[in-house]
Amino acid sequence: MLLTTQHDFLPLEKLTVPTDANLIERIGVGNVLLGVFNLLPAYPMDGGRILRALLALRKSADEATQMAAQVSRFLAVAMGLFGLLSSNFLLVFVALFVYLGAAQESAAARGHSLTSGFPVRAAMITDFRTLSHGNTLREAGDLLLSTSQQDFPVMHGDEVIGLLTRSALLRATLRDGPDSYVAAAMDRNFVRIPPEMDLASALPQLSTAGAVALVMDGDRLVGMLTAENLYEFILLRQVSLARMSHRES
């Protein structure tokens, strides 16, 4: 858009020297270069998503994502090597950004394929402890130390009224002291998911380390789903598939 307003274009070699006279040309050329770079067939740029869409015409969505991610990693390694050889450390940084983006997309696609078709109840924790709204933070801390559980549903009778995470417990203990009640420190806006929900749909809600969701069958608490045990479920699925593949070969 900026370039279309210009009638007399300066030679490209003169744009290397920034002046007020060539400001518009430099901004325009910079935008063009950014647009071209964004079309490289690598994640997380748009070109990588275009490549995945083209591959998805012949492959499944997961296979297309994996193939696009492999291309992205190859380009990232090539850019990184070129940046090191030319002492262009900005290019090395961009290559690292592209490589990490491709790895993240690949892991997400792999996780989706390994969890798709399984309900939440297949991976949820059913052996867990709860706290009462009248318990103190000291009692919650004792439960944290005596069990391997890190997050505790807070109950009022048979009703779930909140979730006390380990980080919230530690913050509240420092702020209010161990004799304050868990009701003041719990999260009332916790994540609820039904037990029959597809695991692949629940995956984005638990993509961060330490994330936890309460599995609710209506108003009844039936389990907990954490990022850690979801990751363990994916690992077990990978082992199972690898074992089946080994038997077939």
Side-chain angles (χ1 to χ4, degrees), residues 1-142:
M1 182 68 72
L2 286 172
L3 292 177
T4 59
T5 63
Q6 297 299 106
H7 303 288
D8 299 323
F9 294 99
L10 294 174
L12 289 179
E13 59 269 14
K14 291 189 176 181
L15 295 182
T16 58
V17 181
T19 64
D20 292 339
N22 62 17
L23 176 61
I24 293 180
E25 286 90 343
R26 285 188 288 114
I27 294 175
V29 171
N31 282 327
V32 170
L33 292 177
L34 284 175
V36 172
F37 180 76
N38 194 45
L39 290 177
L40 285 177
Y43 286 118
M45 277 86 75
D46 291 338
R49 305 190 186 282
I50 293 173
L51 175 61
R52 179 178 64 178
L54 293 175
L55 291 172
L57 296 175
R58 296 293 184 89
K59 304 287 185 178
S60 67
D62 292 331
E63 288 178 327
T65 302
Q66 293 291 345
M67 294 175 67
Q70 289 177 359
V71 173
S72 301
R73 286 194 291 264
F74 174 79
L75 287 177
V77 171
M79 282 193 296
L81 290 175
F82 181 79
L84 287 174
L85 294 174
S86 61
S87 299
N88 189 337
F89 297 107
L90 178 60
L91 187 59
V92 174
F93 174 79
V94 172
L96 179 62
F97 174 72
V98 171
Y99 190 91
L100 292 177
Q104 186 177 15
E105 288 284 348
S106 177
R110 184 64 174 165
H112 184 275
S113 65
L114 290 173
T115 55
S116 182
F118 290 90
V120 165
R121 66 168 67 253
M124 71 182 185
I125 299 171
T126 56
D127 184 12
F128 57 89
R129 306 285 292 274
T130 63
L131 292 167
S132 169
H133 72 289
N135 286 131
T136 64
L137 294 178
R138 187 189 307 277
E139 293 171 322
D142 291 340

Side-chain angles (χ1 to χ4, degrees), residues 62 107 109-120 122-124 198-200 203 228-246 248:
D62 292 331
R110 184 64 174 165
H112 184 275
S113 65
L114 290 173
T115 55
S116 182
F118 290 90
V120 165
M124 71 182 185
D198 194 277
L199 262 181
L203 195 59
E228 287 75 15
N229 73 291
L230 183 55
Y231 177 66
E232 290 169 353
F233 177 86
I234 292 174
L235 284 179
L236 289 174
R237 284 278 296 144
Q238 286 180 320
V239 171
S240 177
L241 290 176
R243 189 174 180 182
M244 291 175 58
S245 177
H246 179 71
E248 291 176 357

Side-chain angles (χ1 to χ4, degrees), residues 129-147 152 164 169 173 177-182:
R129 306 285 292 274
T130 63
L131 292 167
S132 169
H133 72 289
N135 286 131
T136 64
L137 294 178
R138 187 189 307 277
E139 293 171 322
D142 291 340
L143 195 59
L144 178 68
L145 292 174
S146 62
T147 67
F152 300 93
L164 183 67
L169 169 61
T173 302
D179 294 323
S180 59
Y181 294 104
V182 298

